[in-house]
């Protein structure tokens, strides 16, 4: 109704030059897209086939799925279209990009994705090469955490270990896959408003990059806060994250990349964690990630009001790590953490 009134008020002179179509908040369309279908949307050398990653050393199998390189992205957008006469007065809804934990894929987080979609957001569950937990690969090596995450996210830096071959297949880096799926959606859903999540940037490959300021990055166990340490994003939601640290449970030391001086203000960081996260029943429970996560939140200066601590009953260590990202009883918490639509 608001958009209809705007059209009447501004007159026809504006509409031909400025009119765009935006989706409405009521229902959603759902796409499942393999990464192998999208890399051709990137410029050379990122337009080649995805890697097979057969060189990964002992890929993790403790998730629901052993890692595979071509699992589906899960993509949602509101379905009904409404007319926006003057785009600057019709800000786009924010896009939620969900990044799974190691070995897991977007479909394993269906309840979270459905909740975000139901709240009216655009949603992308993004698959990417994730066979190993950073905490296992980088144990005792503080600088390794940033090197690993920088390689997996941006295809940058020196990391080349455990069979990681992002250098040979840069199109598999997380942000490159995000750009590729956005370009794919622009092509396959041309009136869907996906261009709101891409911007022109002369410093980017082929002059286009994700519009980080319109994107809420959400992770389970890993990458959202690292992206926010490099780019000014709309919001960060850390579910059982971030773990990167050395030292003991009683006295953890945050990985060097974790600090409060980064492009994303600390007021935009939000998190949820289970007090029993990864606790395996041993004493002194060095495997318990909860103290490490909270310590890292302290290092990031995440406001106390932005933290949600739960005490879900769970049996196995992994179950305690998963509840905050997979248990639908947390749906209302997820919506709160995601924040406003605009």
């Amino acid at each position: 109704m608001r958009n209809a009134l705007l059209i009447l008020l501004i007159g026809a002179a504006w509409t031909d030059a400025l009119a765009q179509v935006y989706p409405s908040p009521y229902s959603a369309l759902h796409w499942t897209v393999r990464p192998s279908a999208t890399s051709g949307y990137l410029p050379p050398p990122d337009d080649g086939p995805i890697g097979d990653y057969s060189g990964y050393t002992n890929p993790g199998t403790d998730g629901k799925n052993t890692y595979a390189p071509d699992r589906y992205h899960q993509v949602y957008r509101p379905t009904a279209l409404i007319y926006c006469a003057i785009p600057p007065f019709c800000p786009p809804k924010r896009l939620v990009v969900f990044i799974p934990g190691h070995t897991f894929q977007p479909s394993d987080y269906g309840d979270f994705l459905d909740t975000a979609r139901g709240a009216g957001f655009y949603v992308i569950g993004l698959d990417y090469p994730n066979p190993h937990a950073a905490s296992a690969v980088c144990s005792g090596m503080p600088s390794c955490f940033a090197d690993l995450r920088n390689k997996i996210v941006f295809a940058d830096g020196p990391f080349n270990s455990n069979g990681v071959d992002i250098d040979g297949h840069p199109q598999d880096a997380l942000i490159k896959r995000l750009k590729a799926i956005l370009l794919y959606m622009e092509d396959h859903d041309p009136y869907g408003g996906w261009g709101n999540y891409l911007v022109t940037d002369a410093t980017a490959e082929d002059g286009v990059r994700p519009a980080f300021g319109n994107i809420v990055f959400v992770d389970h166990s890993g990458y959202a806060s690292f992206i926010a340490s490099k780019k000014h994003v709309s919001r960060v939601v850390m579910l059982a994250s971030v773990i990167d640290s050395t030292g003991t449970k009683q006295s953890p030391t945050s990985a060097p990349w974790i600090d409060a001086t980064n492009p994303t203000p600390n007021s935009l960081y939000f998190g949820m964690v289970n007090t029993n996260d990864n606790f395996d029943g041993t004493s002194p429970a060095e495997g318990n990630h909860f103290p490490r996560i909270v310590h890292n939140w302290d290092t990031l200066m995440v406001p106390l009001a932005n933290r949600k601590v739960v005490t879900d009953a769970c049996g196995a260590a992994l179950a305690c790590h998963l509840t905050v990202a997979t248990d639908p009883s947390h749906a209302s918490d997820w919506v709160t953490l995601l924040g406003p639509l605009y």
Side-chain angles (χ1 to χ4, degrees):
M1 179 62 70
R2 178 175 64 87
N3 291 326
L5 290 174
L6 275 173
I7 294 170
L8 292 174
L9 289 172
I10 64 170
W14 287 89
T15 59
D16 290 340
L18 295 173
Q20 292 184 13
V21 178
Y22 286 84
S24 73
Y26 300 111
S27 56
L29 295 177
H30 180 200
W31 288 262
T32 57
V33 183
R34 291 192 186 276
S36 58
T38 69
S39 58
Y41 285 83
L42 298 174
D46 299 343
D47 57 343
I50 64 172
D52 64 13
Y53 297 95
S54 58
Y56 268 115
T57 305
N58 299 320
T61 57
D62 57 344
K64 292 182 181 179
N65 297 278
T66 301
Y67 173 71
D70 200 23
R71 303 171 301 188
Y72 286 106
H73 300 311
Q74 303 291 326
V75 183
Y76 299 86
R77 77 148 170 90
T79 185
L81 300 178
I82 61 175
Y83 190 73
C84 179
I86 308 179
F89 290 95
C90 307
K93 292 179 180 180
R94 294 189 300 173
L95 167 66
V96 170
V97 172
F98 182 89
I99 305 168
H102 86 282
T103 77
F104 283 75
Q105 61 182 304
S107 61
D108 295 324
Y109 301 89
D111 287 315
F112 182 91
L113 299 178
D114 283 341
T115 297
R117 183 271 311 163
F121 292 94
Y122 282 72
V123 180
I124 295 176
L126 193 72
D127 195 43
Y128 67 103
N130 64 352
H132 297 294
S135 57
V137 174
C138 297
S139 178
M141 298 181 288
S143 64
C144 169
F145 292 104
D147 290 344
L148 169 62
R149 296 199 184 280
N150 204 33
K151 183 67 75 175
I152 297 297
V153 174
F154 298 107
D156 288 339
F159 186 85
N160 188 6
S161 181
N162 291 77
V164 173
D165 188 28
I166 296 294
D167 285 337
H169 298 276
Q171 62 273 18
D172 290 336
L174 193 153
I175 291 299
K176 293 178 185 287
R177 282 195 172 187
L178 174 59
K179 176 179 170 178
I181 186 63
L182 288 169
L183 290 167
Y184 175 96
M185 292 307 301
E186 264 203 317
D187 190 24
H188 288 76
D189 184 28
Y191 298 105
W194 296 100
N196 291 312
Y197 311 110
L198 290 164
V199 295
T200 57
D201 183 342
T203 67
E205 296 157 327
D206 74 345
V208 179
R209 63 165 175 80
F212 296 105
N214 287 345
I215 301 174
V216 180
F217 283 95
V218 185
D219 72 15
H220 175 229
S221 190
Y223 282 92
S225 55
F226 183 80
I227 295 170
S229 77
K230 302 293 185 180
K231 308 293 182 182
H232 189 309
V233 306
S234 178
R235 197 177 181 97
V236 185
V237 178
M238 303 171 289
L239 304 177
S241 171
V242 58
I243 299 168
D244 297 3
S245 61
T246 55
T248 66
K249 171 195 170 187
Q250 290 85 355
S251 184
T253 300
S254 297
W257 72 263
I258 301 174
D259 63 63
T261 57
N262 62 67
T264 304
N266 64 318
S267 62
L268 298 179
Y269 283 78
F270 295 78
M272 182 160 68
V273 65
N274 187 341
T275 55
N276 294 312
D277 189 299
N278 215 44
F279 179 58
D280 60 7
T282 63
S283 181
E286 292 296 349
N288 189 348
H289 291 324
F290 174 74
R292 297 180 182 274
I293 291 168
V294 172
H295 178 77
N296 285 337
W297 289 356
D298 291 341
T299 304
L300 287 168
M301 299 178 64
V302 179
L304 294 178
N306 294 4
R307 308 181 186 192
K308 177 71 176 181
V309 177
V310 299
T311 56
D312 300 345
C314 47
L318 183 61
C320 299
H321 185 59
L322 284 169
T323 58
V324 296
T326 60
D327 189 335
S329 69
H330 291 306
S332 61
D333 295 324
W334 296 335
V335 172
T336 300
L337 291 168
L338 289 172
L341 277 174
Y342 298 96

